[in-house]
């Protein structure tokens, strides 16, 4: 298992958290469905071999969101 900084140009993401990735929209959908505090396990195709890469996700920010102009 490698870390996110080990992803290189030419790697193709083929899985996320055990679910196949079939394209960029599929990948985006899977990321959105992943809880904010859960690390992402990517399955990457590199030079014909599948490898696992762990993407560590930082905890969500606790910063307050300023009100929109219409609410102020």
């Amino acid at each position: 298992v490698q870390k996110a900084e080990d992803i290189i140009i030419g790697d193709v993401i083929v899985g996320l958290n055990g679910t196949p990735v079939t394209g960029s929209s599929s990948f985006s959908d899977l990321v959105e469905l992943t809880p904010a505090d859960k690390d992402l396990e990517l399955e990457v195709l590199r030079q014909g071999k599948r490898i696992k890469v762990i993407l560590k996700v930082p905890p969500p920010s606790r910063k307050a969101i300023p009100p929109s102009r219409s609410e102020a």
Side-chain angles (χ1 to χ4, degrees), residues 2-51:
Q2 300 189 20
K3 296 180 253 173
E5 58 266 18
D6 296 327
I7 293 176
I8 60 173
I9 293 173
D11 284 352
V12 178
I13 298 171
V14 295
L16 175 63
N17 296 334
T19 302
V21 171
T22 56
S24 60
S25 63
S26 166
F27 179 76
S28 296
D29 291 345
L30 290 170
V31 170
E32 286 180 17
L33 293 172
T34 303
D37 59 345
K38 186 172 191 261
D39 294 340
L40 301 176
E41 182 179 298
L42 305 175
E43 186 173 354
V44 175
L45 188 61
R46 177 183 296 166
Q47 298 175 347
K49 295 181 182 175
R50 290 178 182 256
I51 61 170

